[in-house]
Amino acid sequence: MEWKNFVLEECPASAFYIPNFTTTQEESFLLAQVDRTPKPRWTQLSHRRLINYGGVPHPKGMIAEAMPPWLQGYVDKVNQLDGVFEDGRKANHVLVNEYLAGQGIMPHSDGPLFHPTITTISCGSHAVLEFHEPQESADEGKTTMQRVPVTKLLVEPRSLLILKDDMYHKYLHSIAEVERDVIDRSVANLSRNNFQLNDVLDRTTRISFTIRHVPKTSKMKIKLF
């Protein structure tokens, strides 16, 4: 698959959106594997829960853990996208996030612990990712930080989203804490999916698999399964 053919020209550099990157059968398989994950493996946050596979990224270096076999095949599938991580790098970390209907995430960037490429497989439900540019604003001698909306992306179940360049470095991304999304003209990839302007999409549980490369890791792998 030539992933560069899926570039979203409507976005700042660079976003690539591949619908149906996985099949419905693969989606069901992935959801079943996540569903049977033991509760202690999860990290519970205030608005979602997550699992780190491959290790836990840390400024001093990630202690590498072997990827479970059921997930390794999908890491390999992303790694087979020629040059997606540049210079022969391969993904070695997967962050699994569970979002229930009405849950989201505040504007943030993924930061310097990762190679600046995000690849995310979505399963179960759609999501609308919102991108913001942080800008300083001076008012009455006080400097405050504002978030200026840039664009939105609708990611459907079974899709793969790839973010690079300014979409990684310059802009923050978030998911609003709502139970349904209204599709408006700010959704940049509306022509690439199955929905239309003004459609109202009810959320269900979404499982996202963010597959990335962590440059600083230990050479020894720990097996936890």
Side-chain angles (χ1 to χ4, degrees), residues 13-85:
S14 297
F16 306 82
Y17 180 71
I18 305 175
N20 298 312
F21 184 73
T22 62
T23 65
T24 54
Q25 292 81 6
E26 289 174 321
E27 178 187 35
S28 297
F29 171 77
L30 285 168
L31 292 172
Q33 295 297 322
V34 171
D35 188 57
R36 63 170 60 105
T37 303
K39 191 173 181 179
R41 194 75 173 83
W42 291 91
T43 298
Q44 183 67 55
L45 304 180
S46 57
H47 297 282
R48 70 189 195 284
R49 61 177 185 164
L50 58 85
I51 313 171
N52 282 284
Y53 284 112
V56 178
H58 190 275
K60 293 184 178 180
M62 182 176 76
I63 298 175
E65 301 170 0
M67 202 70 65
W70 64 266
L71 188 54
Q72 184 62 55
Y74 296 91
V75 175
D76 293 342
K77 188 172 182 178
V78 169
N79 282 331
Q80 287 165 8
L81 300 175
D82 186 39
V84 72
F85 294 105

Side-chain angles (χ1 to χ4, degrees), residues 49-131:
R49 61 177 185 164
L50 58 85
I51 313 171
N52 282 284
Y53 284 112
V56 178
H58 190 275
K60 293 184 178 180
M62 182 176 76
I63 298 175
E65 301 170 0
M67 202 70 65
W70 64 266
L71 188 54
Q72 184 62 55
Y74 296 91
V75 175
D76 293 342
K77 188 172 182 178
V78 169
N79 282 331
Q80 287 165 8
L81 300 175
D82 186 39
V84 72
F85 294 105
E86 297 99 22
D87 300 326
R89 296 180 182 89
K90 300 294 183 183
N92 57 2
H93 179 263
V94 181
L95 181 65
V96 178
N97 275 298
E98 179 193 68
Y99 297 94
L100 305 180
Q103 292 183 334
I105 188 168
M106 294 292 290
H108 69 285
S109 62
D110 282 25
L113 297 184
F114 305 97
H115 177 72
T117 294
I118 306 172
T119 70
T120 302
I121 298 172
S122 294
C123 293
S125 181
H126 76 280
V128 173
L129 270 66
E130 303 182 15
F131 294 84

